[in-house]
């Protein structure tokens, strides 16, 4: 697996010089949507909604800033693959095998925790159907095993199809709920004094919000790997232009949904004295009530299903994405063939699911604490991965016209510095505050 996980050859023409047709563009759409699907499940359903419920509109600027500063590093994942015909992780190897080992270490640390977190939220939502005799931990294990089976049997094609339907369904239901909540007005009393998020006491929550907003930076490698899976599915390798359209489509959807979820939390819960519970089952009920309270009680089963399918899709995406990137690292380090990569991928899927099941069954009882810990770990590793992505995108093997321009360079360094300063602030709060 010298260049990427696909067994097809790299495009014979430079990606920037090939013409784009509507048919080819449709074939290219997919990896960016998958990243959006992964983003929505964790950060948006939980942390954006909670930000609106606790602080109103105060954090909308920070959410937009986080999406802006992470934007270059997610863009580099797909742009690098389109420009060079190899995965972003192959670019890591070009810069030095030490970067692959760093990524491997970070992903082993974050992967199992994040998979367990999103799966546990899926289990909490599924418990809303009133299934008795099985706790959230048991439901989480069942969901993880089902996701593993679907990935192993259905591969990328199933993942791609589910993600597109889920993102559209969630966007429509969220838009309707926000619109209805907006016309009903704010529930906050006239004399309500909102709390400020700009205190050291709230700093930990800001880091949690930023960690998965719109997604952990390591997900940028997934999209470059999924591009080759998409190529095997369609027979077409995306050009730089097609890749950009796919990326912008997914990223803009993720940003818009982040704002809508914050709006939903603000319009429904802000100022009411009600806050989200740390209990998985209660939290899932509150989440569904945000929608059904405005659309109508009749919509509860529909909303519960939409939320569960969203989280299930996110879980399935993570069960594929983390092991895929870990397998790619191992294959690049060992110089293994595509067939060996596929075997290693399946092994990492089994290991990751087993680790997540053990974490949920034996070590974690509180859903929100697990999600918070996963988000913090994701954020404090952001500066490292962001710098590596920037370094790779400016590598000698990247065509000059595909490298970051002045604006992207400024934005990249602003993002890296921001991540470092916020991480330092988090350490300060934990040690001294």
């Amino acid at each position: 697996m010298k260049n990427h996980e696909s067994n097809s050859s790299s495009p014979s023409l430079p990606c920037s010089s090939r013409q784009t047709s509507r048919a080819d563009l449709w074939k290219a759409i997919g990896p960016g949507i998958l990243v959006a699907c992964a983003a929505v499940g964790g950060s948006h359903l939980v942390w954006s909604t909670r930000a609106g419920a606790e602080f109103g509109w105060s954090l909308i600027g920070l959410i937009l800033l986080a999406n802006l500063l992470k934007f270059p590093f997610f863009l580099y994942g797909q742009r690098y693959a389109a420009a060079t015909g190899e995965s972003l992780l192959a670019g890591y190897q070009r810069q030095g095998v030490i970067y692959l080992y760093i990524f491997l270490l970070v992903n082993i640390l974050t992967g199992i925790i994040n998979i367990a977190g999103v799966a546990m939220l899926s289990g909490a939502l599924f418990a809303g159907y009133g299934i008795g005799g099985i706790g959230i931990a048991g439901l989480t294990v069942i969901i993880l095993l089902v996701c593993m089976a679907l990935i192993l049997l259905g591969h990328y094609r199933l993942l791609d199809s589910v993600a597109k339907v889920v993102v559209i369904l969630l966007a429509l239901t969220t838009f309707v709920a926000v619109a209805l909540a907006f016309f009903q007005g704010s529930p906050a009393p006239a004399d309500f004094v909102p709390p400020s998020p700009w205190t050291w006491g709230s700093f930990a929550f800001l880091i949690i919000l930023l960690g998965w907003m719109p997604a952990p930076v390591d997900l940028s490698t997934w999209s470059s790997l999924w591009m080759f899976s998409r190529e095997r599915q369609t027979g077409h390798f995306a050009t730089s232009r097609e890749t950009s359209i796919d990326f912008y489509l997914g990223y803009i959807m993720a940003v818009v949904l982040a704002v809508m979820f914050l709006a939903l939390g603000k319009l429904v819960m802000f100022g009411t004295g009600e806050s989200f519970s740390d209990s998985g089952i209660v939290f899932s009920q509150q989440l569904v009530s945000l929608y059904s309270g405005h659309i109508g009680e009749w919509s509860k089963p529909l909303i519960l299903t939409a939320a569960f399918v969203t989280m299930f899709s996110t879980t399935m995406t993570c069960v594929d994405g983390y092991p895929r990137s870990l397998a790619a690292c191992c294959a690049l380090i060992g110089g293994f063939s595509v067939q060996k990569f596929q075997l290693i991928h399946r092994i990492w899927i089994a290991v990751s699911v087993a680790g997540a099941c053990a974490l949920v069954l034996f070590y974690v009882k509180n859903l929100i604490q697990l999600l918070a810990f996963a988000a913090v770990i994701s954020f404090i590793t952001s500066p490292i991965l962001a710098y590596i992505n920037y370094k790779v995108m400016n590598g000698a093997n990247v065509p000059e016209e595909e490298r970051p321009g002045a604006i992207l360079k400024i934005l990249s360094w602003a993002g890296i510095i921001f991540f470092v300063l916020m991480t330092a602030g988090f350490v300060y709060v934990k040690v001294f505050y």
Side-chain angles (χ1 to χ4, degrees), residues 331-349:
L332 286 165
I333 292 170
F336 299 135
S337 64
V338 173
Q339 289 72 26
K340 278 283 185 67
F341 162 80
Q342 293 169 347
L343 174 62
I344 297 169
H345 183 205
R346 289 193 288 271
I347 291 172
W348 271 116
I349 288 175

Side-chain angles (χ1 to χ4, degrees), residues 42-236:
S43 68
H44 294 35
L45 277 176
V46 180
W47 302 119
S48 289
T49 312
R50 195 161 191 160
E54 294 187 10
F55 300 107
W57 298 114
S58 298
L59 291 175
I60 190 170
L62 184 65
I63 286 177
L64 293 175
L65 179 64
N67 282 279
L68 176 65
L69 295 179
K70 285 188 180 180
F71 161 81
F73 310 112
F74 281 98
L75 175 64
Y76 296 157
Q78 288 179 252
R79 177 176 286 187
Y80 180 85
T84 64
E86 64 182 27
S87 71
L88 185 64
L89 288 173
Y92 279 38
Q93 186 182 41
R94 284 181 179 273
Q95 297 297 322
V97 72
I98 184 64
Y99 292 115
L100 281 179
Y101 282 111
I102 291 172
F103 182 86
L104 196 64
L105 179 64
V106 168
N107 260 243
I108 290 173
L109 177 64
T110 61
I112 291 176
I113 297 171
N114 287 345
I115 289 172
V118 295
M120 197 171 180
L121 181 53
S122 300
L125 287 166
F126 196 71
Y129 290 106
I131 297 175
I134 306 177
I136 290 180
L139 290 172
T140 301
V141 170
I142 293 172
I143 287 168
L144 284 168
L145 293 176
V146 171
C147 285
M148 179 174 69
L150 290 174
I151 292 296
L152 292 176
L153 296 175
H155 302 291
Y156 175 85
R157 184 183 298 273
L158 177 63
L159 188 66
D160 178 70
S161 300
V162 170
K164 289 174 181 174
V165 173
V166 164
V167 169
I168 293 172
L169 177 64
L170 184 68
L172 290 175
T173 54
T174 304
F175 177 78
V176 171
V178 170
L180 292 173
F182 180 79
F183 286 113
Q184 288 185 14
S186 174
D191 58 347
F192 175 70
V193 179
S196 171
W198 314 117
T199 65
W200 286 118
S202 301
F203 198 84
F205 177 79
L206 301 185
I207 295 297
I208 293 168
L209 178 66
L210 294 172
W212 280 5
M213 181 56 60
V217 174
D218 46 319
L219 267 66
S220 60
T221 64
W222 299 6
S223 55
S224 72
L225 293 170
W226 281 328
M227 283 178 64
F228 299 106
S229 296
R230 184 68 174 167
E231 179 193 15
R232 285 207 309 275
Q233 180 188 352
T234 64
H236 173 70

